Amino acid sequence: MNISLSIIYLIATVSFIVGLKKLGNPTTAKNGNLIAAAGMGLAIAGTIFIHDFEVPPLIYILIGLAILTGSIIGGLMAFKVKMTKMPELVSLFNGFGGSSAALIGLVEFSRDAGDKMQATTIVSGIIIGAITFSGSMIAWGKLNGSLKSVVNIPYHNIVNNLFLIGVIAFAVFMVSTGVNDQVLVGALLASGLIYGILFVLPIGGADMPVVISLLNSLTGIAAAITGVLYSNMVMLIGGILVGSAGIILTIAMCKGMNRTLGAVIFGSFGGTDSASDEDRRLGSIKKTNPSDSAIMMNYASNVIIVPGYGLAVAQAQHVIHELEELLTKKGVDVKYAIHPVAGRMPGHMNVLLAESNVDYSLLVEMEDINSQFKNTDVVLVVGANDVVNPAAHNDPSSPIYGMPILDVENAKHIIVNKRTMNAGYAGIENELFYNDKTVMLFGDAKAALTSLVSELKNM
Amino acid sequence: MNISLSIIYLIATVSFIVGLKKLGNPTTAKNGNLIAAAGMGLAIAGTIFIHDFEVPPLIYILIGLAILTGSIIGGLMAFKVKMTKMPELVSLFNGFGGSSAALIGLVEFSRDAGDKMQATTIVSGIIIGAITFSGSMIAWGKLNGSLKSVVNIPYHNIVNNLFLIGVIAFAVFMVSTGVNDQVLVGALLASGLIYGILFVLPIGGADMPVVISLLNSLTGIAAAITGVLYSNMVMLIGGILVGSAGIILTIAMCKGMNRTLGAVIFGSFGGTDSASDEDRRLGSIKKTNPSDSAIMMNYASNVIIVPGYGLAVAQAQHVIHELEELLTKKGVDVKYAIHPVAGRMPGHMNVLLAESNVDYSLLVEMEDINSQFKNTDVVLVVGANDVVNPAAHNDPSSPIYGMPILDVENAKHIIVNKRTMNAGYAGIENELFYNDKTVMLFGDAKAALTSLVSELKNM
Amino acid sequence: MIIGILKETQKGEKRVSISPGIAKKLTDKGFEVVVEKDAGAYSAYKNSDYIDAAARVEKRELVFKDSQMLIKINPFNEEDLKLVNKEHVLISHLYHKSRPELIKKIAAKGASAFSMDAVPRISRAQDMDVLSSQSNLAGYKSVILGAYEMKKIFPLMMTAAGTIKPARVLIFGVGVAGLQAIATARRLGAMVKATDIRPETKEQVESLGAKFIVVEGANGESEDGYAKEASEDYIRRQKEAVNKSLYKADLVITTAGIPGKKSPLLITKEQVLNMKNGAVIIDLAAAQGGNCEISQLNKTVTLNGVKVIGTSIAPESVSTNASELYAKNMYNFIKHLTKDTNLKWDIEEQITDETLIVHNGTIRK
Amino acid sequence: MIIGILKETQKGEKRVSISPGIAKKLTDKGFEVVVEKDAGAYSAYKNSDYIDAAARVEKRELVFKDSQMLIKINPFNEEDLKLVNKEHVLISHLYHKSRPELIKKIAAKGASAFSMDAVPRISRAQDMDVLSSQSNLAGYKSVILGAYEMKKIFPLMMTAAGTIKPARVLIFGVGVAGLQAIATARRLGAMVKATDIRPETKEQVESLGAKFIVVEGANGESEDGYAKEASEDYIRRQKEAVNKSLYKADLVITTAGIPGKKSPLLITKEQVLNMKNGAVIIDLAAAQGGNCEISQLNKTVTLNGVKVIGTSIAPESVSTNASELYAKNMYNFIKHLTKDTNLKWDIEEQITDETLIVHNGTIRK
Amino acid sequence: MNGLLEFISNNLEMIYILILSVFVGVEVIKNIPAVLHTPLMSGANALSGVVVVGAILVMLNSDPEDYFSLTLGFIAVVLGILNVVGGFAVTGRMLQMFKKKN
Amino acid sequence: MNGLLEFISNNLEMIYILILSVFVGVEVIKNIPAVLHTPLMSGANALSGVVVVGAILVMLNSDPEDYFSLTLGFIAVVLGILNVVGGFAVTGRMLQMFKKKN
Ligand SMILES: NC(=O)c1ccc[n+]([C@@H]2O[C@H](COP(=O)([O-])OP(=O)(O)OC[C@H]3O[C@@H](n4cnc5c(N)ncnc54)[C@H](OP(=O)(O)O)[C@@H]3O)[C@@H](O)[C@H]2O)c1
Ligand SMILES: NC(=O)c1ccc[n+]([C@@H]2O[C@H](COP(=O)([O-])OP(=O)(O)OC[C@H]3O[C@@H](n4cnc5c(N)ncnc54)[C@H](OP(=O)(O)O)[C@@H]3O)[C@@H](O)[C@H]2O)c1
Ligand SMILES: NC(=O)c1ccc[n+]([C@@H]2O[C@H](COP(=O)([O-])OP(=O)(O)OC[C@H]3O[C@@H](n4cnc5c(N)ncnc54)[C@H](O)[C@@H]3O)[C@@H](O)[C@H]2O)c1
Ligand SMILES: NC(=O)c1ccc[n+]([C@@H]2O[C@H](COP(=O)([O-])OP(=O)(O)OC[C@H]3O[C@@H](n4cnc5c(N)ncnc54)[C@H](O)[C@@H]3O)[C@@H](O)[C@H]2O)c1
């Protein structure tokens, strides 16, 4: 291969690695993205212009055309999409990548596949490409709701796995016999597509991110295979990177929603869709975890902490003070909003916070702070419930109707830490938890805040 | 090359990577070491027995002999050496590795060096090998004291760097002219050796670890080069791994003693030998850092905390409590030793620790705890000074002579946290800080303990 | 409407029902306020302070004569009632459950009367809940009183002259007062234990870092947040559970009460005899009969070295704060009862319903 | 040697110089101990407790007659001296610098006398340092006393009935007593400020989480850890620095002293007149002349709503602990002076030298 | 079987590269904060668009008459580029949230 | 110059392997606790003993007459093995301190 091209590929590969690396850290992520993109651009440009054989201009024009259209559409989609709709878009793109791989396979197949080795790569390229394509499409459909949630295929696990085996067998047969028949290839392609569908269809919407990440790493592998086919380093390594990174990522995600990857791969995704467990009387809640909460606060410019009885029960007064100090050091402006009846005795929160030497000047009374919530980036509600229950305003039938409360729902983001969805002293539901702006950080206050603090320290 | 050998090498390489990886974490380090060793064994065995040409038995015998002697001597040295003498041993071994590389180079050179490429590898192999060898030997000499500390060569930086350039020039000349003359090679070898000496000689004993780590990564590179020479993967990759890891490690160490690698490489190691700065009236002190202290405590079975006035000044009562809780959770048995006059008012420590809700039952009076120190793994002295000053026992002239103190010097290890070497209330030196068993953790108590805690959390 | 603020006549009482600050708020809202001369003297409020608040300061008779609504803290007594007529709306503690004869007398006058101790224990009523606001202060002050009377100090101290063991404090009844007592004692460094008939108080006690003494089979909870009377058997089991701690205690504070009933007897004379020489008992329930057999209201009885102090009026000793809070409660209550300075008489509404004891001479409760 | 423990006669004094526990330790060491009848009564020690400690309990005269070493806390007075003879070794506070006439009288008797208030402020003497052990308790109790007398509570409380601002406490003189006062007030949740003539106390105050009021050009430090007299000019600059805080304060505690001298006057009548209605001043230095112009020892003076309480005897009110600690100090002191139950008279040794005021009738200091 | 062996010995370097790349991929990603999961996924997804290189090669290598290859190749390129450009763009937008406050 | 280029294009895979290995080496080590510095150094040092493979090859390839090669080779092997065995052994001992308490 042309030497300068090799060098270009070399650089591109390195840029991929570095880019990926930087993507793993909030502060460098943006650069990482740029670096990777640059490398990609380089690789593409290089491929087009550097080669030691003649290429008719028509083809150049076509390529140019293809790239143009692709870039424009892609760019538009990316910039038009709403924040909330991004995951499904990713899934869509991923599908495209897969299909592209499959198509390449088809072409190469048509040009007779040389030795078995090549044949294997081609065939697997086609299958994997196909699977990722159809799979991603389904995922996309599910996410944007056009495909209504769970479709239950009886025994889908067995069915799927049997089918998969079938497909593989078929592939092996084709390679070994070395038959070269468009129809069969078509069949192969089709079966790949079908499997993709079968694989994703039974999975609940909540698990889609995991699926996408998995399919994504599949695409990577497809790319790598194509790389082998052309013994093209940038494709090979790039593909492998995505493949391995993708797997790790998938595992991480599974951990996040405590599943095992095994369970994931062998179809025990199952119909149950973790989100749908939550009772829906007031809509659904959004769970979060310490590290996400930490990031939210780290990048907020002001935070208000709302302590409640739970803070006392957990004896988390020292941790919350540490959190406050830490945020303040990071330049976040932190205050405590003290509700007159928070806790179980008058001044309960005062006793508690005095114990950990929270500066009195940071404790703000309800009357004074209620007006400030609307300009607040993040409110952290710790073990408080009734005192932030909007029912006091909205629901005349409620026992706390008429009681003045802290109007946290005016804030931009709300993090609520409590152990369960249980009610507080007044024993009533709290619609705040189901508010769109609210995320729930479940767990004992002391434990949750402690990990929140250490997450913050690592930023 | 023989296929099964390739596979063996493949495995070996992977085991190196995995081994190195595991070495980076206290809990897996031991396995890591074993895995790497196993891989190494495999590679060696494979090399000996698998090859597709005839080898006369004599040679086998010789090889066997060599390996036997090497193993025995190495093993003995390793198991005889005292804990404190290990670093110098490492340096010694490293030297051997280097010399081995150099010797290989010499042999290969004698068998006419094929193309320039080869020549380059061989020559650089010889030089680097030589440098590591002589350098390591000097380092070894310095560490075991047979070479008395700093030898000051005037302008050693300039001298060294000039000399290095000379060597390189010489090498380039040889390669390019392709001369093949044993004398010249000898000269080359010699110059390499000399440079190694020049490089290390001016460096103070305290910086030796950094030097060794640097030389170590050099050896790695030498190995890699030899690998290229034989296009032998296991050597190549193994070498590179050591090379890159070694560099990173070196940098880390420099950070530890806040130096820059640049400063290190370009000879500004300088004569000043950080340890020797400390005044020596009572011998020298040993500095430590949070992560080491954390490990000491983590692997201790019981710890006694000795709080003093400094804890109050730093207002670190909450952090110390967090530390105590954390250790207790890790199964360490923690107590506080309260000296009757610690602080500046009667009961100062009681007020302080009550504030962070330290359980009263953990506070032990001087009379009751003094007997326990001798069975204590680690004592952590935080901002206390006079109350742990042995002068009260030993030095009739001392103003605190006759005052009962906490006999911390009976413990196995002592960590003292204070900001400087300044005296306490009584304004007198404290020989405890110069005790062999004592390490100093300098810094404001709150800051130091906080990082100590987070280190502990990551274990 | 004209609101009359009466000077408290009960001995030892230092509070006043409306502070100058609140008087100002009332006059701003359009009420006329008449204050009896020197009503605020003991709470460090001068007559001039009230005048500055646009209130009038008059002598007793005139206050009764002029004003439609009459406010004081302690129940209206014989003297007061002499001057009451059927136009009057009286607001004060009435303890109607335990003092029916007083209620009858008021009814006889044809007047109306609200009882502040009848404010329901519902969340939205908390800002009118004088019981809470006052017993909270009582809880704090009882500990201070204890610390003052004791021969020992509270905190653990390891000094050159030896170690002082921390004081052991035992709290009976973990209501508002009890909780605040726990918090205050803990702050001073004492080792605090507490017990209560309502099981949910365990968590509350622990949330203040103190230990809870569990009495097996405690089940006194009743929906409205109050306790109901304890069974013979419970009292017995309670003694078994607490005696060990009681006999070691340096300070004991009892706050146990059952609304409208005589407060439960929790410490018998015989138990006192077993207590440490130098120990102190503070019986905050003394006014409702007391939790300790030998305690007497506003008296200090000493029995074999144990000081037993019967008091209900701890809050007065912090009269300034106590009056501020009480006044704020009153203000919220009045605001709740009135619409542009006139009474709403919205008898359906829970708070009005439960606090309005006598309505135009007819007894409602 | 026979040691005699005298009952304190000074009015208000509740302590005893040797507790039963320490008496036991002494008898175990081979001393004979004779205790005056009821000496420990106010510290909750019974005569029987002493007898259990293998001590004898006798009436006053016998104690003097039998024992060689006589121990009490307050200086020996006329009454006592009548019974003193040249065999006696007296140990008590003597304040020899400020009370030469007393010393003369003792010398006249030909007796020997050690003064506990002369124990040097060196580290190894800390366990005999009664000033420290007692003023430490005084510091604690003064805050309790203050909290008891105040009409406000200490902590910040945000309640349904409004917010109570935390009490503002100001401490003059940050010695042992001052520091403990700061710690105690902080525990109760007050906002504490303090000032002292010795600059190094700033760090100490801050180490207790309180604020230090810096007086420009403070430089009163003196080698032995005591302060020397303040200059006119310093006193003036001090006033400027503290007045703002003083006039806002709810509780002021003054502990400023210069050993052997009249204590410095830090708060003038005029300053008091500018203070908050309802504020309280506790003058712990009253016995040495007081830090407040209008304070009188063991009296409470009220001036335009400001209560000024002059007391030096705060520690007695925690007599049990106070006696324990004092006794422990005495024990260490006696141990230091004696070798197998006989006095060493090792006059070279610093502690003996500085505390031995009268030796066999000759005045040494 | 020995077909495989042979393959290995032929592509030994390839295999090393493969293994090493896997290690790099894994090491580089492991223990990243959960918030970055989605952006990272999206970024990786963009990278997987590297297949477009293959697609381009297809077109380059196919002669102007071979419409089959050309059309398929064309589509492949379009889709691939879509993946690349769209992918990076979306990732970029996701990462907006990490811009530090003034 | 183009000698270098040529070299690169001949050993392209080698170079990739090199680069990847560097990445692995770096990634694997970075941010490890300071206490592990010494053991890790020692471990790496043992690994660098891999040169012994080269030494062995030397001996294998040298014919029984060529004493020069043999002796040097012999020494090389001895030293190399010393490095390997000793290195791992020492590392092992250093790591004793990390055995968790019962
Ligand atoms: N202040 C007073 O004087 C007083 C007196 C009596 C009654 N009250 C009443 O008490 C209530 C006070 O409101 P509030 O919001 O402070 O308390 P709350 O409404 O009772 O809610 C407390 C919440 O904290 C959570 N929690 C409990 N333990 C926790 C732990 N260890 N970690 C994390 N979360 C924990 C509980 O949810 P999970 O169980 O799911 O964790 C609970 O929902 C009001 O209704 C008020 O009327 C006040
Ligand atoms: N308890 C009493 O009643 C009383 C009363 C008066 C005097 N004393 C005397 O005070 C002394 C008490 O002994 P001690 O050991 O508690 O205190 P110390 O002997 O005074 O030593 C305190 C040490 O803490 C260090 N330190 C200060 N600030 C610090 C910070 N922010 N972080 C970390 N370290 C800090 C200081 O060293 P760096 O400056 O290097 O950090 C100092 O050496 C005794 O001599 C006693 O006689 C006691
Ligand atoms: N709006 C509200 O939510 C609100 C407002 C104020 C108080 N409260 C609640 O009402 C409850 C009662 O408050 P309170 O202080 O007026 O109660 P209280 O003064 O009537 O009684 C004090 C405590 O004594 C306890 N007690 C009764 N008999 C006992 C016995 N035999 N042994 C041991 N303990 C016994 C009671 O359980 C109560 O906790 C508290 O839980 C308080 O939190 C609720
Ligand atoms: N062995 C020891 O190390 C030891 C033992 C006990 C006390 N001490 C130290 O001795 C010092 C004095 O203790 P003390 O309590 O007996 O002192 P003290 O009772 O004699 O005086 C109390 C405080 O008043 C301050 N003061 C004097 N004049 C003042 C003025 N004009 N304005 C403001 N403040 C003024 C003094 O500085 C002192 O801090 C303390 O620092 C204490 O820590 C040391």
Side-chain angles (χ1 to χ4, degrees), chain E:
Chain E
M1 177 55 204
N2 50 12
L4 180 67
L5 285 185
E6 177 197 315
F7 170 76
I8 292 180
S9 47
N10 299 345
N11 310 43
L12 201 55
E13 276 95 354
M14 273 293 170
I15 295 172
Y16 274 102
I17 293 180
L18 223 120
I19 294 175
L20 289 171
S21 318
V22 172
F23 270 107
V24 174
V26 173
E27 285 303 316
V28 154
I29 295 310
K30 69 165 173 9
N31 52 48
I32 62 160
V35 271
L36 281 174
H37 285 168
T38 322
L40 192 70
M41 177 170 79
S42 159
N45 165 265
L47 277 183
S48 68
V50 72
V51 277
V52 74
V53 170
I56 294 172
L57 288 178
V58 167
M59 293 192 75
L60 289 174
N61 299 334
S62 56
D63 71 326
E65 266 57 64
D66 176 352
Y67 296 119
F68 174 73
S69 313
L70 277 185
T71 28
L72 288 201
F74 185 87
I75 305 176
V77 174
V78 174
L79 293 176
I81 288 287
L82 251 168
N83 186 355
V84 172
V85 176
F88 283 119
V90 169
T91 316
R93 279 192 57 193
M94 288 181 180
L95 294 172
Q96 289 308 324
M97 72 170 280
F98 291 116
K99 64 171 170 340
K100 190 85 190 97
K101 55 187 166 292
N102 38 27

Side-chain angles (χ1 to χ4, degrees), chain C residues 121-122 126 129 132 174-176 196-198 225 227 238 255-257:
Chain C
R121 281 296 164 84
I122 54 175
Q126 269 171 305
D129 184 348
S132 281
V174 187
V176 177
D196 195 295
I197 193 168
R198 292 177 303 126
Q238 188 187 48
T255 77

